[in-house]
Amino acid sequence: MIDAAFSHLPALEPGSVWLVGAGPGDPGLMTLLAAKGLAEADVIVHDALVNEECLKLAHRGAELEYAGKRGGKPSAKQRDISLRLVELARAGKRVLRLKGGDPFVFGRGGEEALTLAEHNIPFRIVPGITAGIGGLAYAGIPVTHRDINHAVTFLTGHDSSGIVPDRINWDAIGRGSPVIVMYMAMKHIAEISANLIAAGRSPSEPVAFVCNAATGRQQVLETTLGEATEAVAASGLEPPAVVVVGEVVKLRASLDWLGALGGRRLLPDPFCRSGKVLI
């Protein structure tokens, strides 16, 4: 059955590069095309946030090259990573660049693809489930719900220099987006919270931090925008984390399916709209 599922899929050819999204953590969330590419690659250049279980899909002779970038830690320069992909492809290797989440969602996949195009290297983009959707789903938090929001904003909490991006229009996002999903924002949550409150968001608005999403180490912190900075400091939690701001966080009381597997009782009415308080 597995061979039949793979039979119609394209092959990873020598001298080409696939930019592949591994999803938010759980290897089961990878696509069939991602799994096929891992099984065929001669070299896998992988990020820090890729679950090691995903790498077990590589064939026995594949070379594994670490190219992780973590804030505040020694990391390879992005240009060097991109040129390494070119070098490997020119050597006739089947190259798979494995990135956490989706390569085109705050994953620098666009930069790497542009370098490949610049050097006439054939490439394919294999999308993955981004952590801002899949990671929150594993925490029981939907990014949209028709009774709550009809729009959602995804943003990054820091730019290439490691600071909060000054090009983000916090006033517009604060006023216009009912749900905000933030990548790489935990380190700067004090400044970000202050920006959103200054833009008109309520200090009592629900916030959730989902750390190590969709892995066996997943932890979720629920707090409010006004208390987020102190709550994170007291929790001892550390990145990687996805942060979500908005009323959808309250749905976790009813949709924490992982917690339910561990015995948590889910509430049928998280907003207590029936007028009864559920215990």
Side-chain angles (χ1 to χ4, degrees):
M1 184 179 297
I2 293 176
D3 289 341
F6 283 163
S7 62
H8 68 289
L9 298 177
L12 175 51
E13 301 290 347
S16 66
V17 178
W18 282 13
L19 300 175
V20 177
D26 187 339
L29 298 180
M30 287 197 301
T31 63
L32 286 175
L33 194 53
K36 186 173 188 289
L38 281 166
E40 295 177 347
D42 298 315
V43 183
I44 298 168
V45 182
H46 63 94
D47 275 350
L49 296 181
V50 170
N51 190 332
E52 291 184 1
E53 293 297 315
C54 297
L55 298 174
K56 292 181 180 179
L57 294 175
H59 70 77
R60 185 170 298 178
E63 301 174 40
L64 302 180
E65 290 195 10
Y66 177 80
K69 298 179 73 64
R70 297 297 300 274
K73 298 180 180 179
S75 303
K77 289 181 169 37
Q78 182 58 53
R79 184 63 176 170
D80 293 339
I81 296 172
S82 299
L83 291 176
R84 177 59 175 161
L85 300 177
V86 172
E87 178 184 17
L88 290 168
R90 284 182 171 168
K93 303 287 188 180
R94 298 176 178 87
V95 185
L96 188 139
R97 175 71 167 113
L98 191 62
K99 308 175 79 66
D102 182 277
F104 275 8
V105 181
F106 303 120
R108 304 192 182 187
E111 296 173 48
E112 294 171 0
L114 285 171
T115 300
L116 295 171
E118 176 188 350
H119 292 84
N120 297 312
I121 301 297
F123 66 90
R124 174 181 288 271
I125 307 301
V126 182
I129 300 174
T130 183
I133 296 174
L136 294 183
Y138 264 55
I141 302 172
V143 294
T144 65
H145 187 282
R146 66 178 183 172
D147 291 337
I148 298 173
N149 66 309
H150 294 86
V152 57
T153 296
F154 296 89
L155 60 86
T156 176
H158 69 73
D159 59 19
S160 58
S161 63
I163 62 175
V164 177
D166 57 11
R167 288 183 291 179
I168 291 179
N169 188 332
W170 293 105
D171 287 340
I173 291 173
R175 291 194 306 269
S177 185
V179 172
I180 306 168
V181 178
M182 298 180 282
Y183 297 68
M184 299 168 285
M186 178 179 275
K187 180 179 178 182
H188 301 295
I189 194 59
E191 182 177 350
I192 291 171
S193 297
N195 287 340
L196 290 174
I197 291 171
R201 304 300 280 240
S202 170
S204 63
E205 186 167 11
V207 177
F209 295 79
V210 184
C211 300
N212 295 302
T215 72
R217 305 183 308 280
Q218 176 174 296
Q219 294 177 283
V220 181
L221 171 66
E222 294 181 59
T223 181
T224 63
L225 198 57
E227 298 178 352
T229 303
E230 292 75 13
V232 168
S235 72
L237 295 178
E238 296 183 351
V242 179
V243 185
V244 55
V245 178
E247 292 297 305
V248 291
V249 172
K250 293 180 179 179
L251 288 167
R252 186 167 188 266
S254 297
L255 303 180
D256 180 17
W257 58 276
L258 272 177
L261 293 176
R264 178 179 182 177
R265 181 190 175 193
L266 300 183
L267 303 181
D269 183 10
F271 295 100
C272 297
R273 289 172 177 164
S274 65
K276 298 178 181 179
V277 177
L278 302 179
I279 299 177

